[in-house]
Amino acid sequence: MIISMRLHASREEIDEVRKQVEHFGYKVHSIEGEERVVIGVVGLGDVTACLESVEAMPQVEKVVRISAPYKFVSKEFRAGRTRIPVNGTEIGGDEFVVMAGPCSVESEQQIMRAAEGVARAGAKILRGGAFKPRTSPYDFQGMEVEGLKLLQRAKKATGLAIITEVMSDRDVELVAEHADIMQVGARNMQNFVLLKALGKCGRPVLLKRGMSGTIKELLMSAEYVVAHGNPDVILCERGIRTFETETRNTCDIAAIPALNELTHLPVILDPSHATGKRSLVPALARAGVAIGADGLLVEAHPAPEKAISDGAQSLDLPQFQKMMQELKPYIQLWQESRKKEVGAAAR
Ligand code: PEP
Ligand code: MN
């Protein structure tokens, strides 16, 4: 159940509702907007009695019964799409947003060349890991703070926004000082301590699907971030682990429309980790546009053969430029269909 308070309800009025809900044995999670507070009610109890009692309170605008276990991120909670402004662009809105850059930040020259190349090709957001989750403890673990500083320098030079991974709750504050979007990697999809900390980070969060995470588990993880105070979550399909070995992961392309049916949050596709092979990236990127993703997260590197991580799946800059060029007619169709959707919703 979700309770939407009247605009500018006072603290006492909100507490009164909270007490009433708790009286029925439920737990309360609230999202405090600038003007309106929304209260999520979870737990087991007499739903109808609680709903009717709260609905009668004058400070309450609306009460909606939500059956999904992920309440705030469910489509039942919000019919329209969540649009997330990032540095002058918007994710989940009328623009198909491409985020691109190397897997890891490796040097100033590398990140600068990558940033300039992807910006020229039309990307709006620069990716680059400063904290790297690596399967082997002996592999490069990332440049950490130095990497974050280099990303900032690239932002200043190109105007691109920055997305970078945060691996630990201890680093949330530091990464939030440098990033426009906080990336949660597949291996951390269910790091609940991290997800809770990101609820308070003040930055949008891009949550990657875990390699063995179900769609429902992905949504429950997003619910953690939202229930802890941050409504700006972007979901990312990046392939899951199956018996197939020809590709690095198996891209669950159907997850994108499935998520679009279940949640109002933006959904993007990472065709790089989904395939592990640069030759397959452009085709999968096209599929992402066609199937209604809100954007892409693509690995691109000025010299993939020298990349410290994920070189085999990274496009070089001319390949990235070519892919972006070839995506244009698809993105145009995407925009037309988004416009129709907005028009239909307004009618
Ligand atoms: C990455 O984006 O470089 C990365 C580590 O991705 P994932 O968490 O999806 O494996
Ligand atoms: Mn990578």
Side-chain angles (χ1 to χ4, degrees):
M1 195 163 89
I2 296 280
I3 303 165
S4 190
M5 299 294 297
R6 281 199 187 285
L7 283 182
H8 308 294
S10 70
R11 181 56 44 207
E12 293 74 47
E13 288 174 325
I14 296 164
D15 285 344
E16 206 185 347
V17 172
R18 181 187 288 270
K19 275 196 203 114
Q20 187 71 349
V21 169
E22 284 167 354
H23 167 75
F24 283 93
Y26 288 100
K27 278 205 175 121
V28 158
H29 283 272
S30 59
I31 303 187
E32 316 244 336
E34 296 246 317
E35 296 183 322
R36 192 191 299 279
V37 170
V38 177
I39 299 173
V41 177
V42 286
L44 293 173
D46 187 342
V47 189
T48 309
C50 180
L51 188 141
E52 284 173 359
S53 142
V54 172
E55 218 166 25
M57 299 174 90
Q59 66 268 49
V60 170
E61 167 117 353
K62 203 162 95 180
V63 186
V64 186
R65 198 165 176 159
I66 292 182
S67 46
Y70 38 86
K71 302 205 180 298
F72 288 125
V73 308
S74 140
K75 206 116 209 187
E76 296 169 70
F77 174 55
R78 180 185 291 168
R81 292 176 186 274
T82 285
R83 301 160 78 115
I84 304 180
V86 178
N87 195 41
T89 137
E90 201 179 40
I91 301 164
D94 307 334
E95 198 186 342
F96 187 84
V97 180
V98 177
M99 316 177 187
C103 179
S104 311
V105 181
E106 298 166 6
S107 69
E108 174 157 12
Q109 198 206 25
Q110 174 246 19
I111 198 68
M112 285 298 185
R113 281 181 60 200
E116 281 155 14
V118 301
R120 208 173 314 121
K124 291 288 159 65
I125 299 173
L126 175 67
R127 64 149 290 148
F131 292 91
K132 292 305 302 177
R134 304 304 301 278
T135 303
S136 164
Y138 308 118
D139 285 344
F140 175 61
Q141 304 286 307
M143 291 182 74
E144 305 189 340
V145 188
E146 273 319 298
L148 294 175
K149 287 186 189 155
L150 292 180
L151 285 167
Q152 276 291 302
R153 224 170 282 169
K155 177 179 180 176
K156 241 184 220 147
T158 57
L160 291 171
I162 300 296
I163 177 166
T164 194
E165 180 160 353
V166 56
M167 283 172 53
S168 157
D169 56 303
R170 290 189 307 265
D171 299 328
V172 165
E173 213 172 306
L174 170 71
V175 176
E177 277 169 29
H178 297 83
D180 296 284
I181 305 177
M182 313 280 279
Q183 177 175 325
V184 177
R187 291 155 191 82
N188 266 321
M189 185 193 88
Q190 289 191 315
N191 179 340
F192 301 119
V193 178
L194 175 62
L195 298 176
K196 285 183 203 174
L198 288 168
K200 304 271 177 289
C201 74
R203 299 267 184 220
V205 171
L206 181 134
L207 179 61
K208 288 189 141 195
R209 180 178 182 182
M211 355 204 162
S212 58
T214 64
I215 289 173
K216 187 172 165 190
E217 284 163 347
L218 175 63
L219 289 167
M220 293 305 290
S221 290
E223 184 79 6
Y224 260 90
V225 180
V226 179
H228 282 85
N230 186 352
D232 293 337
V233 181
I234 304 152
L235 303 173
C236 178
E237 166 62 34
R238 47 76 76 205
I240 49 176
R241 183 160 289 178
T242 68
F243 53 83
E244 182 54 69
T245 54
E246 196 54 31
T247 47
R248 181 179 180 185
N249 292 291
T250 297
C251 180
D252 181 7
I253 196 76
I256 292 165
L259 284 165
N260 279 332
E261 270 185 11
L262 297 169
T263 179
H264 51 84
L265 296 176
V267 182
I268 70 157
L269 173 65
D270 172 347
S272 308
H273 292 84
T275 57
K277 283 186 185 166
R278 83 171 60 88
S279 64
L280 304 179
V281 169
L284 204 51
R286 277 199 303 280
V289 183
I291 209 153
D294 292 284
L296 299 171
L297 179 66
V298 181
E299 285 186 343
H301 193 290
E305 68 288 354
K306 294 195 191 127
I308 302 182
S309 59
D310 288 351
Q313 67 193 32
S314 300
L315 300 172
D316 67 21
L317 297 174
Q319 285 164 344
F320 180 72
Q321 167 91 32
K322 182 163 177 276
M323 182 191 83
M324 292 293 279
Q325 203 60 32
E326 287 169 0
L327 283 179
K328 274 190 180 156
Y330 295 88
I331 291 178
Q332 202 166 340
L333 287 171
W334 181 99
Q335 277 164 336
E336 282 165 27
S337 102
R338 267 299 153 97
K339 260 188 221 140
K340 272 191 214 143
E341 183 191 298
V342 174
R347 249 176 270 135

